[in-house]
């Protein structure tokens, strides 16, 4: 059997080759870390990939973030179930989390001296952004509407900022929440930090 001839020496030298290999190895490990779901159980893996797929359809993320950012968000999100009628956020209080409705419905209630206004948020809608980014008090009370529990995915202010979302997301006006505030005469601007 013939032995193949040796490969020619790299034009940049061994030091360059070592640096290039270290860079490629680091990039590969980072990519694997981004795409590998947390935990080793098959159920967790399926849930993680389902969540990744769903996050890519949430309009706020789909329009403003690259798909490469979603794995970091998916890892940081915390799931919580709220019983019908249970408040998630209260009008006038500063919220320390950003919420996305995963299932069920959230009831948005704006109370003032004149009247009570309300609307519903459904799967893929979000709330808490105004208070989280601007430190403004919440413009409405948000609670689980029922009859089934409300399931939310949330990020604390610390996680939200760690992921850079306070810089990378702009929160457009939404009639469901901002329209209620406008009807009440409250500020409807959602400043971007």
């Amino acid at each position: 059997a013939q032995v193949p001839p040796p490969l020619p020496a790299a034009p940049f030298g061994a030091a360059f080759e070592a640096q290039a290999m270290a860079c490629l190895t680091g990039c590969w490990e980072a990519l694997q870390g981004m795409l590998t779901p947390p935990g080793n159980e098959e159920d967790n893996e399926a849930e993680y990939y389902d969540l990744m797929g769903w996050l890519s359809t949430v309009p706020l993320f789909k329009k403003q973030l690259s798909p490469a950012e979603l794995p970091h968000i998916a890892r940081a999100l915390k799931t919580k179930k709220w019983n019908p009628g249970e408040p998630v956020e209260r009008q006038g209080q500063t919220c320390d989390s950003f919420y996305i409705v995963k299932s069920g419905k959230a009831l948005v209630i704006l109370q003032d001296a004149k009247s009570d206004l309300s609307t519903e948020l459904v799967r893929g809608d979000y709330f808490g952004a105004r208070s989280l980014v601007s430190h403004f008090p919440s413009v409405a009370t948000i609670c689980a509407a029922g009859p089934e529990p409300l399931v939310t995915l949330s990020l604390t202010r610390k996680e939200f900022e760690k992921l850079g979302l306070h810089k990378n997301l702009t929160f457009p006006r939404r009639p469901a929440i901002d329209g209620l505030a406008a009807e009440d005469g409250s500020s409807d601007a959602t400043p971007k930090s």
Side-chain angles (χ1 to χ4, degrees):
Q2 275 190 326
V3 177
L7 294 173
F12 300 108
F16 176 80
E17 282 184 31
Q19 286 179 333
M21 186 54 74
C23 179
L24 288 173
T25 301
C27 289
W28 177 250
E29 289 171 358
L31 182 60
Q32 281 182 312
M34 284 175 35
L35 297 177
T36 303
N40 294 325
E41 298 177 21
E42 286 183 30
D43 289 344
N44 284 348
E45 185 173 338
E47 286 177 23
Y48 174 78
Y49 287 117
D50 286 347
L51 178 59
M52 289 283 297
W54 183 72
L55 287 176
S56 70
T57 68
V58 172
L60 179 69
F61 295 150
K62 184 177 182 178
K63 292 177 183 176
Q64 298 187 49
L65 299 177
S66 75
E69 294 173 274
L70 297 181
H72 303 293
I73 295 169
R75 279 192 174 76
L77 287 169
K78 303 292 183 240
T79 303
K80 183 163 182 183
K81 186 187 291 188
W82 308 84
N83 293 319
E86 185 176 0
V88 180
E89 188 175 307
R90 294 189 186 275
Q91 182 175 337
Q93 295 180 350
T94 301
C95 180
D96 67 348
S97 293
F98 168 76
Y99 298 91
I100 305 168
V101 176
K102 185 175 181 190
S103 65
K105 293 180 181 178
L107 182 63
V108 181
I109 305 165
L110 179 68
Q111 298 174 322
D112 68 5
K114 300 175 201 167
S115 64
D116 291 349
L117 303 171
S118 67
T119 192
E120 286 186 339
L121 300 177
V122 295
R123 183 174 168 90
D125 284 334
Y126 62 89
F127 57 95
R130 171 193 313 269
S131 189
L132 198 65
V133 172
S134 65
H135 300 272
F136 287 165
S138 297
V139 297
T141 294
I142 301 177
C143 61
E148 68 278 349
L150 168 67
V151 178
T152 60
L153 301 171
S154 65
L155 293 170
T156 63
R157 181 185 312 278
K158 182 179 177 181
E159 284 294 324
F160 192 84
E161 291 175 355
K162 181 179 173 185
L163 292 167
L165 297 177
H166 63 295
K167 295 177 183 174
N168 296 334
L169 288 177
T170 301
F171 299 99
R173 288 192 66 228
R174 296 168 305 140
I177 294 178
D178 298 321
L180 289 180
E183 289 178 36
D184 180 51
S186 303
S187 170
D188 62 353
T190 305
K192 183 177 172 184
S193 294

